[in-house]
Amino acid sequence: MRPGAAVLASVSLLVLAAGPAPENPPPLPERMADTGGGSQLITAQAARTSSTTGTVTWWDRRDGRWVKAGSAPARFGANGLVEGGSREQGTNTTPTGLYDLPYAFGIEPAPEGTRTPYRPVRQTSWWCQDNDSRSYNRWTDPRPADCRAAESEHLISYGTQYAYALVIGFNYRQPVRGRGAGIFLHVNGRGATAGCVSVPRDAMRRILNWAEPGRSPHIAIGTDAGPTALTGRSQPAH
């Protein structure tokens, strides 16, 4: 046998011993413990809790399988991500967990094809973040007397970020004071967020055009691994 042939035969045996290449893993939603029960899902995934960037992907469940409908680079809180149930207001962290998407809003008109209820932002529109207010973590129009302006967001002041936005149902149904308010999926600003998830403007328009309330879309926020991993334990909406 030629020397070169012996080397080739040895390499061939190694390849055979290694077996076939591993198949691609199932789509991310297939590996999650809970997707919200609907047939639409947004995943917002960061590498680790200290990350300020990651990926947002939106998915459709069709014929019993999850299919990717689109994706975009994402930004998270300036101080990374933290488990939603232990988050504290004012920490510039994005809460991990699974949440519904109550409604959309924007300074600009809703993109054509938007089916999600969409509230136009006016000069009198605020998001109350005052822990002492009865309107804590709620859209108010106008701002009530018990909601201090210094503890709230004047929505029209954020012309870039709130051109288009979806409310994330974090701490929304039964708000816990001090846990946080005003967590949205919105258009990118100049950098990391104060706790929201943000995507490029075109991606936000595409998401609004894609979302169908009748299909119960949810958003799952988490990391690649660890206690806050999207593929880890179930993280119910709250």
Side-chain angles (χ1 to χ4, degrees), residues 69-174:
S71 67
R75 296 175 181 172
F76 299 100
N79 289 322
L81 300 86
V82 68
E83 200 281 318
S86 59
R87 184 183 187 271
E88 295 181 3
Q89 186 163 327
T91 54
N92 289 345
T93 53
T94 298
T96 64
L98 178 66
Y99 307 103
D100 62 357
L101 300 162
Y103 59 89
F105 67 89
I107 293 171
E108 298 192 17
E112 185 176 355
T114 298
R115 286 154 288 190
T116 300
Y118 190 91
R119 294 186 179 182
V121 174
R122 303 185 296 182
Q123 188 65 38
T124 51
S125 303
W126 292 73
W127 196 275
C128 184
Q129 299 181 356
D130 188 339
N131 281 284
D132 296 327
S133 174
R134 290 171 293 179
S135 300
Y136 178 67
N137 201 21
R138 287 291 184 272
W139 171 293
T140 64
D141 197 342
R143 178 175 55 85
D146 74 341
C147 182
R148 293 168 290 174
E151 299 293 326
S152 304
E153 281 193 348
H154 192 199
L155 299 178
I156 207 165
S157 299
Y158 299 87
T160 298
Q161 295 93 324
Y162 297 160
Y164 310 106
L166 267 167
V167 176
I168 294 176
F170 166 72
N171 199 32
Y172 188 76
R173 298 299 175 190
Q174 296 179 319

Side-chain angles (χ1 to χ4, degrees), residues 3-81:
V7 173
L8 182 59
S10 298
V11 171
S12 298
L13 287 172
L14 288 172
V15 171
L16 288 172
E23 296 182 1
N24 292 330
L28 177 58
E30 302 281 0
R31 293 176 278 130
M32 293 171 56
D34 190 359
T35 58
S39 58
Q40 286 190 323
L41 178 71
I42 299 172
T43 55
Q45 189 171 27
R48 57 191 66 87
T49 54
S50 60
S51 300
T52 59
T53 60
T55 304
V56 157
T57 306
W58 47 107
W59 308 81
D60 287 306
R61 187 164 180 81
R62 300 188 185 282
D63 299 323
R65 295 183 60 84
W66 285 102
V67 179
K68 184 168 74 171
S71 67
R75 296 175 181 172
F76 299 100
N79 289 322
L81 300 86

